[in-house]
Amino acid sequence: MTNIVFWFFVIMTITAALMVVLSKNLIYAAIALLVTFLGVAAMYVFLWADFIAGTQVMIYIGGILILLLFGIMLTHKITSVRISHTNVQRGVGALIVAAIFVGLVWMINFTPWLKVTTQEPLQTVHSIGTLLMTDFLLPFEVASVLLLGALIGAAVLARKET
Amino acid sequence: MNILQVYLTLAAVLFSLGIFAVITRRNAIAVLMGIELILNAANLNFIAFARFGGMNFSGHIFALFVIVLAAAEAAVALAIIINLYQNFQSINVDEAQQLKQ
């Protein structure tokens, strides 16, 4: 049963990612991106990372995807022009990507990965919170400054010049 | 499923598709979607190694920081794209060739 659910999510993720890359309609691509994010969140659940899965759903789907949709709405005349776009140089791009993919798969299958057997953690949020406040305190604080900078920078950039 | 390679292969698929979007898409927002795919692939690797490679919760923290950076990056990139649209009335990346108009 778990296997069926797992492979369902894998196939769903790959199909949606293909739609993101190939769809002619930009809105369809954004909706397919939503499905991709959901599939990756399901993978996180299979990997015992429930907190990261929740964060993925909240920030990627609730934040970044909405931002992307806003971007599409603001940069296209929705009523007059079809929201479509094309790919350029598909042949060369597909060749390069196929080479990268084959190399990656070869590397994945022929590397002797270090296998460590770990127990399923009882609570993830507790451990993540403790680590954030001890070992990773400086990056945590720097991230807050970076978010503030990005917020102000984005507001200044997007404002119409008067 | 308890095989590391399955997750790594899925991440490789997402990464390749993201690269394909970045290379071939003309619309800047579609390029941004490709970058999000690449970041998701990297995150999937971090979490996979957190479970199978003994990285434990450090992998989770890394993934959290990647998500935070992706949010900041998307906000700034969209601001730049909106600016581009105001200047060129188009957001095709191959048409924005001038630094100044």
Side-chain angles (χ1 to χ4, degrees), chain A residues 3 6-7 10 13-14 17-24 26 29-30 33 36-37 40 43-44 46-49 51-52 55-56 59-60 64 67-68 71-72 74-77 85-90 93-94 96-97 100-101 104-105 108-109 111 113-116 118 121 123-124 127-128 131-132 136 139-140 143 146-147 150 153-154 157-160, chain B residues 1-21 23-27 29-30 32-37 39-45 47-76 78-83 85-86 89-92 94:
Chain A
N3 271 346
F6 177 82
W7 287 110
V10 168
T13 311
I14 294 177
L18 271 173
M19 261 194 76
V20 172
V21 176
L22 297 174
S23 169
K24 282 229 160 51
L26 205 53
L33 196 64
T36 315
F37 288 158
V40 174
M43 291 299 113
Y44 293 163
F46 278 104
L47 289 166
W48 302 338
F51 180 68
I52 307 292
T55 316
Q56 163 99 356
I59 297 187
Y60 265 108
I64 295 178
L67 215 59
L68 281 174
I72 297 172
L74 285 174
T75 52
H76 291 81
K77 298 188 184 65
H85 60 302
T86 47
N87 295 17
V88 286
Q89 293 176 329
R90 278 193 171 182
I96 294 171
V97 167
I100 292 175
F101 180 68
L104 278 175
V105 168
I108 286 168
N109 284 318
T111 306
W113 297 105
L114 173 71
K115 284 286 168 65
V116 181
T118 40
Q123 43 187 358
T124 54
S127 314
I128 290 176
L131 269 179
L132 268 182
F136 295 93
F140 182 67
L146 176 119
L147 279 176
L157 272 177
R159 197 188 45 164
K160 276 207 181 85
Chain B
M1 285 304 287
N2 304 317
I3 308 168
L4 174 66
Q5 277 84 352
V6 175
Y7 294 101
L8 293 185
T9 311
L10 177 62
V13 171
L14 287 181
F15 176 79
S16 310
L17 287 174
I19 291 278
F20 185 71
I23 293 178
T24 61
R25 286 293 214 189
R26 289 182 69 208
N27 192 306
I29 292 181
L32 201 59
M33 288 179 189
I35 295 175
E36 302 296 344
L37 279 183
L39 289 172
N40 260 288
N43 256 354
L44 194 56
N45 271 3
I47 303 285
F49 283 116
R51 174 173 166 183
F52 295 105
M55 243 172 115
N56 287 330
F57 285 104
S58 300
H60 292 208
I61 303 265
F62 254 96
L64 269 182
F65 280 123
V66 170
I67 291 177
V68 168
L69 288 178
E73 168 252 321
V76 174
L78 279 170
I80 292 174
I81 290 172
I82 289 174
N83 240 338
Y85 180 70
Q86 282 169 1
Q89 274 73 50
S90 140
I91 54 170
N92 289 344
D94 50 355

